[in-house]
Amino acid sequence: MKQNLNLLKNIRTVEPYVPGEQPQTKVIKLNTNENPYPPAPGVERALQEIDADRLRLYPDPVAKILVKALAQDHGVREDQIFVGVGSDDVLSMCFLTFFNSKKPILFPDITYSFYKVWAELYRIPYECPKLQDDFHMTKEDYYKENGGIIFPNPNAPTAIYEELDFVEDIIKHNPDVVVIVDEAYIDFAGKSAETLIEKYDNLIVVQTFSKSRSMAGMRIGYAISNPVLIQYLNDVKYSFNSYTMNQASLVCGVEAVKDRAYFEKITARIVETREWAKVELKNLGFEITDSKANFIFAMHPEYDAGELFEAMKENHIYVRHWNSERIAQYLRITIGTKEEMKVLFSFLNGYLKR
């Protein structure tokens, strides 16, 4: 069929985000940074006890039970919490709400690739300061005039964590724009920037249930900030879609938040496995960043990452590889169970000794 160019010229086109593969067969799945352990036991009980008749009703648009649980867990007021369908939904709302200047927003050149997708989708100008050779940010790159700042801490896919004083320095140098710290992996790292919220009125911290709380399939994310910025976010949300959180997500999310002991146990187990895996990879000759996430960013100076990625995939071990500038020789390896990681190392031992 011949395309009508007049029709096409007004269609918004973007280069979409490419998610990690979701194989439907049994594999060692270390490619999308999911938690290898089940959610807190209370989540399963909540699913079994859901009244199916309630599913014919719209869920609570203000997600009160989940907002209340999160506020208590973080020691803030309920009007300082905003919830959404995964942190991607929360971040997208933040882009729509706060990045409306003609000045470019700033985020690193190697980072979560959805940032560039949202910026282009919403017609937001942006610049990407280059990370250093060791993949750390240069804070002075974020001192210049801009329309807003966003960066993950720890970063993805590099797994680098910037200390809290570093993060605060960027916030302090940008009092007239919103600074968003995307903390999807903070529970495997160090101190959260949420401790700075009462000190700076331009800060938004975004977190998720997808990693440390084992609920990627439930799609729960949230932002913590001051009541003014949270109200602006809710205004945009309610003009876009009032009923974002479904009934199951609300009740299961509350149960996940309540069980802090389970959360801490599982997070500690992943960190322990990560530190062991870092040593194993170094012993195999890999060069790695000092990961503070639930994944490791690794390269081998003697083996092509693309070929290694394909060889692993042929052996039913899935990791993540980007054939892009500066990181084409790196693989991102999610921390699985100890047993899954042993399968990975068994393969690598055989492959690297051929």
Side-chain angles (χ1 to χ4, degrees):
M1 179 185 296
K2 185 178 179 181
Q3 293 290 343
N4 182 338
L5 298 182
N6 287 327
L7 172 68
L8 297 180
K9 69 181 181 181
N10 292 317
I11 294 176
R12 179 167 295 195
T13 60
V14 294
E15 184 176 339
Y17 170 75
V18 180
E21 295 177 83
Q22 294 288 353
Q24 301 304 305
T25 55
K26 182 66 175 176
V27 299
I28 302 297
K29 191 173 183 297
L30 308 175
N31 66 328
T32 49
N33 298 343
E34 294 144 323
N35 196 310
Y37 303 105
V43 174
E44 183 176 357
R45 290 196 298 271
L47 281 171
Q48 294 172 348
E49 295 170 3
I50 287 175
D51 181 0
D53 184 59
R54 287 195 57 78
L55 299 183
R56 66 184 175 80
L57 304 174
Y58 283 114
D60 176 12
V62 300
K64 185 172 180 57
I65 60 170
L66 181 56
V67 167
K68 181 178 180 179
L70 285 168
Q72 290 176 344
D73 188 61
H74 287 276
V76 298
R77 299 188 302 276
E78 291 178 33
D79 60 3
Q80 291 182 262
I81 299 287
F82 172 88
V83 297
V85 186
S87 59
D88 286 341
D89 179 47
V90 176
L91 290 166
S92 177
M93 289 291 176
C94 286
F95 271 64
L96 274 172
T97 307
F98 302 114
F99 294 161
N100 294 293
S101 166
K102 293 187 184 332
K103 300 169 187 174
I105 64 170
L106 306 177
F107 51 84
D109 67 324
I110 302 171
T111 194
Y112 187 32
S113 53
F114 233 138
Y115 299 161
K116 190 175 290 187
V117 173
W118 287 318
E120 293 179 353
L121 179 64
Y122 301 139
R123 304 293 191 259
I124 302 167
Y126 63 90
E127 292 180 8
C128 300
K130 282 195 170 185
L131 296 179
Q132 300 172 30
D133 290 342
D134 63 0
F135 299 124
H136 278 276
M137 296 169 65
T138 301
K139 61 185 178 181
E140 289 80 9
D141 288 343
Y142 297 83
Y143 290 177
K144 60 185 176 181
E145 196 172 18
N146 63 78
I149 293 171
I150 181 169
F151 59 91
N153 197 36
N155 195 9
T158 66
I160 295 289
Y161 170 75
E162 304 291 359
E163 296 294 338
L164 194 59
D165 59 348
F166 180 101
V167 174
E168 181 172 9
D169 193 77
I170 292 176
I171 300 166
K172 185 165 53 177
H173 276 84
N174 292 276
D176 297 328
V177 299
V178 169
V179 177
I180 301 170
V181 183
D182 181 358
E183 293 187 339
Y185 303 99
I186 194 63
D187 296 319
F188 309 102
K191 293 181 179 178
S192 167
E194 68 181 275
T195 59
L196 302 173
I197 284 170
E198 298 301 325
K199 191 173 179 180
Y200 298 98
D201 63 3
N202 62 328
L203 172 62
I204 297 176
V205 174
V206 177
Q207 297 187 8
T208 179
F209 282 49
S210 296
K211 315 302 181 185
S212 56
R213 296 194 186 275
S214 308
M215 294 179 70
M218 272 291 179
R219 313 306 302 127
I220 304 173
Y222 59 102
I224 313 168
S225 188
N226 61 72
V228 174
L229 296 187
I230 293 299
Q231 184 58 56
Y232 282 129
L233 268 176
N234 275 314
D235 289 346
V236 171
K237 168 188 171 180
Y238 296 141
S239 68
F240 191 80
N241 181 1
S242 298
Y243 303 105
T244 55
M245 300 294 296
N246 65 62
Q247 300 278 21
S249 293
L250 290 173
V251 295
C252 290
V254 170
E255 291 303 317
V257 173
K258 282 164 57 176
D259 198 339
R260 175 152 285 275
Y262 181 84
F263 160 76
E264 291 176 351
K265 180 179 75 171
I266 293 304
T267 302
R269 185 181 299 172
I270 291 171
V271 169
E272 180 184 14
T273 305
R274 179 191 72 198
E275 296 305 305
W276 165 77
K278 285 158 71 171
V279 173
E280 293 293 312
L281 285 168
K282 287 178 180 177
N283 290 340
L284 288 169
F286 281 87
E287 296 176 5
I288 64 174
T289 61
D290 184 20
S291 172
K292 297 299 181 183
N294 69 335
F295 60 88
I296 297 173
F297 200 49
M299 64 91 68
H300 200 294
E302 299 176 19
Y303 293 87
D304 179 76
E307 293 178 7
L308 186 53
F309 167 78
E310 292 297 340
M312 294 168 75
K313 190 173 175 181
E314 287 175 9
N315 285 269
H316 310 294
I317 301 170
Y318 280 62
V319 297
R320 195 79 194 266
H321 174 250
W322 291 269
N323 189 25
S324 53
E325 187 180 2
R326 298 187 69 192
I327 61 171
Q329 289 305 315
Y330 280 83
L331 298 173
R332 191 192 70 188
I333 305 168
T334 302
I335 302 302
T337 64
K338 198 78 173 277
E339 292 70 26
E340 289 173 326
M341 301 305 287
K342 285 180 179 177
V343 173
L344 167 69
F345 291 128
S346 176
F347 164 79
L348 288 174
N349 268 296
Y351 183 87
L352 299 178
K353 290 176 181 177
R354 291 188 309 176

